Amino acid sequence: MTSAAAAPVWSVDPRTGRRRQRVGTEAGPEDVDRAVRAAHAARDALADRSVRAAFLRTAADLLEREAEPVIATADAETALGTTRLTGELARTAYQLRCFAEDIEEGSFLDVRIDHADPQAVPVPRPDLRRYKIPLGVVAVYAASNFPLAFSVPGGDTASALAAGCPVVVKAHPDHPATSERCAAVLRRAAARHGLPEDVVGLVHGFDAGLDLVRHPLVAAAGFTGSVRGGRALFDAAAARPTPIPFHGELGSLNPVLITRSAARERAEPIAEGLAASVTLGTGQFCVKPGLVLAPADESGDRLLKALTTALGTADAGVLLDARMRDAFLDGARARATLPDVESPVAPGESGPNAVTAGFLTVPAAHLTTGGPHAVLLEECFGPVTVVARYADETEASAVLQRLPGSLTATVHLGDAEATQENGPAARLLAALTPLAGRVLVNGWPTGVAVAPAQHHGGPYPATTSTSTSVGATAIERWLRPVVYQGTPSPLLPAELRDGNPLGLPRRVNGRLEA
């Protein structure tokens, strides 16, 4: 049941701008309350780690079995293409299975036991046993640009369920039908293992997003989207009578610095790689390189010439919705009108719904002093990048010092630079490291591998916390530590009892044991 006079939710084809189908209605406060309370009531059912692991594996299996209709629906709503979405579905299923393995392995519980030591100095030590427990209901805000991997069945949902937290997902309006399909898959998977289907809830609507983060039974939130939207939810989470953790991925410039040596040695391959990274997914990746520092010399001229060819011949693409298309075009035009900004390949319109890629250039000196050119240091979502030409390393360093936090920072080095342990390249990496959560050498940031060592996060405004939303440690966002002191063994959780009955990785008296 939904609230009276609720607004309809439509699935829209971004290629034509036409409505495809009515998916449902926007959730009112009562609907959000019902979904959250149902999820809260289901939380104890997720206590068994083996059941959680089996649930996630079944979810991956069912998602793969439903691949054809899921991909077709997602493509119809996002225009991302079946090739891209096929890869995204495979990534999403793999991610679910990875978290199932993490559940079974158990190190995410971070079990630490210090036995009582009456001889300890400076004071006797009591028996202390610590591990991590789930926070409770997690609100997940689906991303526009990843209808699978960062939406209903994506990393926030998978990691929260792995931690033992039920979720309520706020669907993104760009792919509501895909969200409904994926939520149904997850609920079927839950039911197959005797879990309440309410361990995964789904709501639609802008107001539902605010109602969700303000609900007193919501214990944490995960968000992927814009700075404006994410900051509003972050502030709402902090303004609650009981504030909650808000793990938001907002906006990222993802700077790239190309040294003179790198440009001299391989200007053309670097330009081709840059063009491919900027246009991947029609520039709608959160790790798209939005600012490139290139030398203002002959090698930089060669790079720009090759980039002009690569972007000038790139295919037009459709953005996720008309609002994003308008914001992209307006943002690119506004940047192009700034003093001394040139457009070797001007991004623009291609027919009624598509856009073309491009890039702008500016003397790097303009980015060292603030003023109107400061907008060039903000993300412009879509297939465009800014190439800032630096006169020398001092000027490039001055630009780096003004950059906001990003998900990634990249440097392209010459062959000799990469082999000098304490040379200029090492100093460059030291300058880039405070800017981002992932630092790349001679690569491109688009494409975020799902792996235990991955970190997908960065200083604000890239993210609102120091956590990652990709990789095994993403589960840590939804857990909190608790320590039992002087507790008799029969009253301890099994994870903390002597003899390690569950066979978990544990650190006992400072030593790791398995």
Side-chain angles (χ1 to χ4, degrees):
M1 180 180 292
T2 57
S3 302
V9 173
W10 294 95
S11 171
V12 176
D13 182 349
R15 294 181 174 96
T16 64
R18 297 192 184 97
R19 291 173 174 174
R20 296 179 57 252
Q21 65 181 102
R22 178 170 171 166
V23 174
T25 55
E26 294 187 359
E30 299 88 350
D31 305 306
V32 173
D33 180 65
R34 189 179 302 111
V36 173
R37 291 188 181 280
H40 182 72
R43 67 194 188 285
D44 289 346
L46 290 171
D48 189 317
R49 288 190 301 120
S50 63
V51 172
R52 296 206 305 270
F55 164 36
L56 293 188
R57 286 197 176 94
T58 298
D61 293 342
L62 293 180
L63 191 62
E64 289 175 335
R65 291 178 197 171
E66 295 286 323
E68 187 173 345
V70 167
I71 290 169
T73 303
D75 179 53
E77 292 188 305
T78 66
L80 289 172
T82 56
T83 300
R84 146 73 194 276
L85 290 167
T86 298
E88 187 178 335
L89 188 141
R91 171 199 177 95
T92 305
Y94 175 75
Q95 194 165 239
L96 287 163
R97 294 188 178 106
C98 284
F99 280 117
E101 293 178 3
D102 294 333
I103 295 169
E104 292 171 335
E105 189 266 345
S107 63
F108 73 95
L109 294 169
D110 194 23
V111 178
R112 296 169 183 263
I113 297 173
D114 290 315
H115 292 126
D117 183 358
Q119 307 303 320
V121 292
V123 295
R125 185 179 71 211
D127 186 87
L128 300 169
R129 299 172 186 240
R130 177 186 188 271
Y131 80 143
K132 292 183 177 179
I133 61 173
L135 290 174
V137 178
V138 171
V140 172
Y141 293 82
S144 63
N145 54 339
F146 281 87
L148 305 175
F150 284 84
S151 292
V152 174
D156 286 351
T157 297
S159 58
L161 292 171
C165 297
V167 301
V168 178
V169 183
K170 205 290 275 184
H172 197 280
D174 282 348
H175 40 79
T178 306
S179 297
E180 289 286 352
R181 277 192 176 276
C182 291
V185 167
L186 294 180
R187 289 169 181 153
R188 284 207 311 276
R192 289 195 181 186
H193 295 281
L195 296 171
E197 293 187 5
D198 291 324
V199 295
V200 178
L202 182 69
V203 294
H204 298 269
F206 176 84
D207 290 339
L210 284 169
D211 292 335
L212 188 56
V213 80
R214 290 169 175 160
H215 197 287
L217 293 181
V218 168
F223 171 90
T224 303
S226 68
V227 173
R228 181 180 178 184
R231 185 55 194 254
L233 292 170
F234 173 83
D235 291 344
R240 291 168 38 134
T242 302
I244 60 171
F246 183 86
H247 300 283
E249 180 190 323
L250 311 187
S252 186
L253 190 62
N254 306 304
V256 177
L257 191 147
I258 302 166
T259 68
R260 294 182 189 279
S261 294
R264 283 196 297 266
E265 292 173 13
R266 54 184 196 282
E268 289 77 16
I270 289 174
E272 291 167 4
L274 174 60
S277 190
V278 168
T279 57
L280 187 64
T282 321
Q284 298 172 114
F285 275 53
C286 52
V287 287
K288 179 205 73 176
L291 177 71
V292 182
L293 287 161
D297 60 13
E298 183 273 336
S299 65
D301 293 342
R302 283 173 44 218
L303 191 149
L304 261 61
K305 181 179 180 182
L307 185 60
T308 298
T309 300
L311 288 180
T313 57
D315 293 335
V318 176
L319 296 186
L320 291 160
D321 60 40
R323 178 182 56 82
M324 292 184 189
R325 179 175 179 272
D326 291 344
F328 166 70
L329 293 172
D330 291 345
R333 288 170 185 147
R335 288 162 171 78
T337 62
L338 293 170
D340 296 325
V341 170
E342 297 180 359
S343 305
V345 179
E349 302 178 63
S350 178
N353 298 293
V355 298
T356 57
F359 74 101
L360 311 175
T361 65
V362 65
H366 283 304
L367 305 183
T368 64
T369 57
H373 290 85
V375 71
L376 299 174
L377 303 183
E378 298 175 7
E379 179 185 24
C380 185
F381 194 70
V384 65
T385 193
V386 175
V387 179
R389 307 291 300 275
Y390 64 86
D392 52 37
E393 285 66 25
T394 300
E395 191 170 76
S397 178
V399 174
L400 294 180
Q401 292 174 24
R402 296 190 62 85
L403 296 186
S406 281
L407 295 169
T408 70
T410 301
V411 61
H412 280 264
L413 303 172
D415 292 341
E417 292 174 313
T419 63
Q420 298 171 7
E421 184 173 351
N422 296 309
R427 291 193 291 274
L428 267 178
L429 285 177
L432 290 174
T433 297
L435 299 177
R438 180 162 57 109
V439 178
L440 297 87
V441 177
N442 293 347
W444 297 105
T446 38
V448 183
V450 178
Q454 184 61 271
H455 185 82
H456 190 61
Y460 188 86
T463 53
T464 60
S465 70
T466 59
S467 302
T468 179
S469 60
V470 178
T473 54
I475 196 173
E476 296 175 359
R477 298 173 294 169
W478 321 122
L479 300 163
R480 71 172 181 89
V482 61
V483 63
Y484 292 85
Q485 178 174 328
T487 305
S489 181
L491 302 182
L492 286 169
E495 292 86 350
L496 300 179
R497 293 178 184 172
D498 289 337
N500 198 4
L502 301 183
L504 295 168
R506 311 197 303 183
R507 190 170 291 276
V508 179
N509 295 328
R511 295 180 177 272
L512 186 65
E513 64 174 35

